[in-house]
Amino acid sequence: MDIPRIFNISESAHRIHNPLTAEKMAALGTALRMEKNTSVLDLGCGSGEMLCTWARDHGIRGTGVDLSSLFSAQAKQRAVELGVASQVEFIHGEAAGYVAAERVDVAACVGATWIGGGLQGTIELLKKSVRPGGMLLIGEPYWRVMPTSQYEARGCLANAIEDFLTLPSLLKLFAKLGFDTVEMMLADQDSWDRYEAARWFTMRRWLDENPDDEMAGEVREELYTEPERYVTYRRELLGWGTFALKAR
Ligand code: SAH
């Protein structure tokens, strides 16, 4: 049970698997004014950096669920490194359909909304775990500049233009679904680069160390094509943000 190996290779050195930098994640943690012992569920938690650093900085308690065995192991190790292993728990497993045994103060899915079959399905899923008056945290792409063709959309790794909204229409959708957007942290082009360009270095290093691996051809092709595709499409057209929502 794992995610496709290409991600475990290309993002093996990432602590944060989304386009926010450590500084932006820290600023978001502060912006959310979390009190000690705030309980947080994080579906698709990656290497657990959000839960571990917020546990260290704000004393939160957290549970993370992720399908990558590598990222889950890294999350557990990071918790020990930051001295928060008693506050956070990481479960290696499927997050689709995961509902917390006890309702939490904050239910999050940051950059993995396919686990609920899309944005609205993920909001429905998170609602089952959050306490009345609690908060949802959703990390999601949006069109910073509208693509002019489906071809451009696919260059942004979307299946179609309709996969994402613009930022105003995304916030309007949250309002229509019955939520107040109470905070947000947006990526910018430089923070996108920290996520994307860091993958290139990791892939190159992996290729140097594993020239005969069965994945070498695929990784070589990805490293050959990705930098140009990224600066042509995603870097120009796609925005990304984490949004804090409270039901009205
Ligand atoms: N929220 C993390 C990771 C975002 S990347 C962060 O911001 O750093 C998306 C994550 O979803 C990856 O860690 C991947 O392993 C995980 N994932 C993908 N499909 C999943 C599934 N079905 N169940 C649980 N985790 C999944």
Side-chain angles (χ1 to χ4, degrees):
M1 187 173 61
D2 215 316
I3 58 170
R5 191 169 166 226
I6 184 75
F7 299 111
N8 281 327
I9 293 171
S10 67
E11 298 191 19
S12 63
H14 284 55
R15 281 202 177 126
I16 297 172
H17 305 261
N18 76 53
L20 298 184
T21 56
E23 292 74 23
K24 282 178 182 278
M25 288 298 302
L28 178 61
T30 302
L32 295 179
R33 308 174 203 177
M34 284 170 303
E35 286 165 16
K36 194 166 186 285
N37 288 326
T38 297
S39 56
V40 183
L41 173 71
D42 189 7
L43 298 184
C45 64
S47 300
E49 189 70 1
M50 183 174 89
L51 290 181
C52 289
T53 52
W54 289 1
R56 176 194 62 193
D57 298 341
H58 305 288
I60 64 142
R61 292 179 295 113
T63 301
V65 183
D66 200 280
L67 196 53
S68 162
S69 48
L70 175 68
F71 301 165
S72 304
Q74 289 179 165
K76 286 179 189 163
Q77 199 184 335
R78 185 70 171 146
V80 173
E81 216 174 273
L82 296 187
V84 295
S86 63
Q87 289 160 256
V88 292
E89 173 196 21
F90 291 102
I91 299 167
H92 171 228
E94 177 59 62
Y98 186 94
V99 177
E102 260 179 60
R103 285 182 180 263
V104 294
D105 300 314
V106 180
C109 179
V110 179
T113 51
W114 56 86
I115 64 170
L119 179 63
Q120 296 198 36
T122 298
I123 289 178
E124 286 309 312
L125 174 63
L126 294 176
K127 272 164 73 175
K128 294 179 187 165
S129 289
V130 79
R131 69 163 169 80
M135 189 184 280
L136 302 190
L137 268 187
I138 303 272
E140 184 71 358
Y142 58 87
W143 295 121
R144 199 166 63 79
V145 177
M146 272 311 262
T148 53
S149 66
Q150 298 294 1
Y151 182 82
E152 281 189 355
R154 284 193 293 274
C156 297
L157 308 183
N159 290 314
I161 296 175
E162 296 72 34
D163 280 7
F164 304 130
L165 299 169
T166 61
L167 183 55
S169 24
L170 185 58
L171 296 189
K172 188 169 169 184
L173 175 65
F174 292 143
K176 266 175 58 183
L177 293 174
F179 291 95
D180 291 329
T181 301
V182 295
E183 257 296 354
M184 68 177 187
M185 179 60 68
L186 304 183
D188 54 32
Q189 286 178 305
D190 292 335
S191 69
W192 257 118
D193 295 348
R194 292 306 83 237
Y195 173 60
E196 297 286 354
R199 298 175 63 240
W200 312 338
F201 201 146
T202 304
M203 285 194 281
R204 175 53 201 261
R205 197 160 57 184
W206 184 89
L207 277 170
D208 288 344
E209 289 167 1
N210 301 276
D212 301 323
D213 191 283
E214 60 178 17
M215 287 288 291
E218 190 180 323
V219 174
R220 165 48 51 222
E221 175 65 18
E222 174 110 351
L223 182 55
Y224 186 67
T225 52
E226 245 315 271
E228 183 188 342
R229 187 192 312 134
Y230 165 63
V231 298
T232 309
Y233 300 110
R234 254 165 298 156
R235 190 175 199 276
E236 294 304 314
L237 305 182
L238 206 57
W240 196 92
T242 292
F243 305 89
L245 311 177
K246 269 177 167 280
R248 273 195 302 278

